[in-house]
């Protein structure tokens, strides 16, 4: 799919999603019991990164780390990643890329190029439902850094659409270079957290650890066994705040990402406008998909696909998930509350609980 030079655009329904549905992915703290191994066998780290929080539980590789020493090494790596992919750091590699004039080639570091290649892949797989250039549309509808309400004019909408499009980005696969065909603004917030999770997980494995849970902003990846000695378990919480219902999922070595739309919106003249923008139309989505949870060995891929599925809606999500054999779990708003359904490849993760 990716030729020597790829004309593509990256999609992501960006930074606005990270603030809502992440709260629906809840860890079912299995290690809170006397069944756990000796406390020193596992280290628990937490902190801030990418404008959100991180939590890590990891079996101490060879018993040679303390929580402080491992956290110091981890924070240095996360800071280096932010220096590459953050839009909030003015001199980050991504920020410099966004100020680069259109029509010029620029060589990228391997990590940033790798993120962009994956973003391009998801853009093509989802037929443009994922687009990391969607920022101008997000801002236009009032879901960006400067919040406001109100439907934009058709003139303003058409102008914003001219500044969006993953197909205006070229990637040179041989030399790791990029060229923008328009003055696009790239935002990786719908894939960067997942990629950061993967990077931390691989780093822990390089240290010799085979049992861990890495979570950044609600996206996570697990491997091996939990401190209790069995599989890691998470719970997907219903969006209905009046109903205390959580669907437990037992995991193997896999990444998990959840995205959705049911808390961030505005209403005008009786019409509800979602924060989730379809980059293909420039307008908020109108379907009833409330949340989607995606499983994949790559948390970055799961992260990006969760955003794409949130744009596509329930029926198209199931259709594409079955075609690509992706495990997905959907929660949809109905007249009688919320209902759930899932792709066939997701079923085993639920059946293990029975």
């Amino acid at each position: 799919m990716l030729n020597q030079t790829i004309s593509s655009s990256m999609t992501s329904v960006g930074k606005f999603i990270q603030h809502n549905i992440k709260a629906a992915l809840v860890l079912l703290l299995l290690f809170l019991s006397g069944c756990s191994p000796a406390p020193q066998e596992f280290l628990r780290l937490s902190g801030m990164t990418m404008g959100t929080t991180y939590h890590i539980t990891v079996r101490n590789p060879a018993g040679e780390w303390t929580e402080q020493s491992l956290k110091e090494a981890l924070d240095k790596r996360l800071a280096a990643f932010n220096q590459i992919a953050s839009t909030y750091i003015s001199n980050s590699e991504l920020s410099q890329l966004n100020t680069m004039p259109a029509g010029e080639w620029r060589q990228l570091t391997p990590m940033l190029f790798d993120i962009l290649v994956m973003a391009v892949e998801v853009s093509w797989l989802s037929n443009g439902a994922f687009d990391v250039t969607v920022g101008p549309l997000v801002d236009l509808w009032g879901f960006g850094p400067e919040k406001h309400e109100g439907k934009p004019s058709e003139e303003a909408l058409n102008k914003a659409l001219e500044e969006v499009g993953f197909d205006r980005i070229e990637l040179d696969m041989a030399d790791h270079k990029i060229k923008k065909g328009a003055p696009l603004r790239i935002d990786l917030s719908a894939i960067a957290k997942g990629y950061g999770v993967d990077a931390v997980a691989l780093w822990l494995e390089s240290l010799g650890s085979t049992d861990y849970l890495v979570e950044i902003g609600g996206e996570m990846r697990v491997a091996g066994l939990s401190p209790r000695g069995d599989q890691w378990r998470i719970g997907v919480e219903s969006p209905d705040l009046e109903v205390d219902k959580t669907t437990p999922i037992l995991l193997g070595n896999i990444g998990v990402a959840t995205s959705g739309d049911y808390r961030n919106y505005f209403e005008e003249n009786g019409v509800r406008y979602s924060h989730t923008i379809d980059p293909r139309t420039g307008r908020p989505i109108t379907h009833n998909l409330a949340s989607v949870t995606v499983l994949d060995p790559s948390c970055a891929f799961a992260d990006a696909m969760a955003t794409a599925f949130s744009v596509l809606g329930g029926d198209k999500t199931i259709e594409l998930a079955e075609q690509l054999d992706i495990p997905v779990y959907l929660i949809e708003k109905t007249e009688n509350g919320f209902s759930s359904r899932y792709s066939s490849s997701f079923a085993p993760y639920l059946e293990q609980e029975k």
Side-chain angles (χ1 to χ4, degrees):
M1 182 177 296
L2 298 176
N3 296 321
Q4 190 75 351
T5 300
I6 301 181
S7 225
S8 50
S9 85
M10 272 91 38
T11 64
S12 62
V13 192
K15 50 187 99 160
F16 43 95
I17 285 182
Q18 72 186 25
H19 300 298
N20 350 283
I21 191 68
K22 305 309 178 192
L25 196 58
V26 181
L27 292 179
L28 301 183
L29 307 179
L30 299 180
F31 43 82
L32 298 181
S33 74
C35 302
S36 299
Q40 64 269 22
E41 290 188 21
F42 277 84
L43 304 178
R44 294 176 175 84
L45 314 176
S46 62
M48 298 292 299
T49 187
M50 305 182 202
T52 186
T53 59
Y54 72 78
H55 299 86
I56 295 172
T57 299
V58 56
R59 186 182 295 277
N60 196 351
E64 60 187 27
W65 293 90
T66 65
E67 288 186 352
Q68 180 178 353
S69 62
L70 188 59
K71 186 178 187 307
E72 289 176 353
L74 170 65
D75 285 341
K76 288 181 180 179
R77 286 182 169 269
L78 290 173
F81 180 74
N82 276 319
Q83 192 61 40
I84 291 173
S86 174
T87 57
Y88 294 96
I89 299 175
S90 60
N91 65 345
S92 71
E93 185 179 7
L94 181 59
S95 294
Q96 294 179 45
L97 172 60
N98 283 335
T99 61
M100 183 185 76
E104 294 184 4
W105 285 100
R106 185 187 187 95
Q107 191 158 31
L108 302 178
T109 60
M111 182 171 286
L112 182 56
F113 190 82
D114 190 41
I115 299 173
L116 292 176
V117 168
M118 182 173 291
V120 170
E121 180 183 7
V122 175
S123 294
W124 286 113
L125 288 175
S126 64
N127 193 31
F130 179 83
D131 191 330
V132 291
T133 70
V134 76
L137 293 168
V138 177
D139 295 344
L140 181 68
W141 285 91
F143 297 111
E146 298 183 8
K147 306 294 183 182
H148 64 84
E149 295 186 0
K151 181 181 177 181
S153 67
E154 287 298 311
E155 181 181 359
L157 182 60
N158 290 332
K159 182 179 179 180
L161 281 168
E162 293 176 358
E163 301 173 1
V164 174
F166 75 94
D167 55 345
R168 304 186 205 184
I169 293 178
E170 287 186 62
L171 295 177
D172 186 327
M173 299 298 290
D175 296 327
H176 289 188
K177 291 181 179 180
I178 186 173
K179 181 173 71 172
K180 300 186 297 182
L184 305 173
R185 188 178 86 224
I186 298 172
D187 189 316
L188 300 175
S189 57
I191 190 173
K193 289 187 296 298
Y195 193 94
V197 167
D198 288 333
V200 172
L202 293 175
W203 174 62
L204 292 175
E205 290 179 7
S206 75
L207 298 178
S209 182
T210 57
D211 305 291
Y212 58 76
L213 180 150
V214 177
E215 178 265 330
I216 299 177
E219 321 298 16
M220 68 180 69
R221 177 165 158 172
V222 302
L225 301 177
S226 73
R228 202 174 73 173
D230 57 6
Q231 286 180 284
W232 296 97
R233 177 181 292 133
I234 65 168
V236 179
E237 191 177 65
S238 170
D240 190 345
L241 300 180
E242 298 180 359
V243 178
D244 184 15
K245 180 181 179 181
T246 301
T247 301
I249 303 169
L250 287 175
L251 304 173
N253 298 348
I254 205 161
V256 187
T258 296
S259 181
D261 175 75
Y262 58 90
R263 290 176 183 164
N264 194 0
Y265 61 91
F266 72 85
E267 293 187 6
E268 184 175 275
N269 298 324
V271 179
R272 174 170 167 159
Y273 294 97
S274 164
H275 77 179
T276 302
I277 308 298
D278 187 334
R280 300 166 299 180
T281 65
R283 303 175 187 276
I285 55 97
T286 58
H287 55 68
N288 64 344
L289 180 58
S291 79
V292 54
T293 297
V294 182
L295 307 182
D296 192 82
S298 164
C299 188
F301 183 79
D303 193 6
M305 287 303 303
T307 296
F309 288 146
S310 292
V311 171
L312 291 173
D315 291 341
K316 292 182 179 179
T317 288
I318 292 296
E319 180 182 351
L320 183 58
E322 294 293 354
Q323 178 185 341
L324 300 177
D325 194 29
I326 298 176
V328 298
Y329 182 89
L330 310 181
I331 298 177
E332 295 169 294
K333 183 75 171 72
T334 70
E335 294 181 355
N336 300 317
F338 290 92
S339 64
S340 63
R341 54 175 165 158
Y342 46 86
S343 64
S344 57
S345 58
F346 197 95
Y349 297 94
L350 299 173
E351 292 171 354
Q352 294 179 54
E353 181 67 8
K354 296 178 181 178

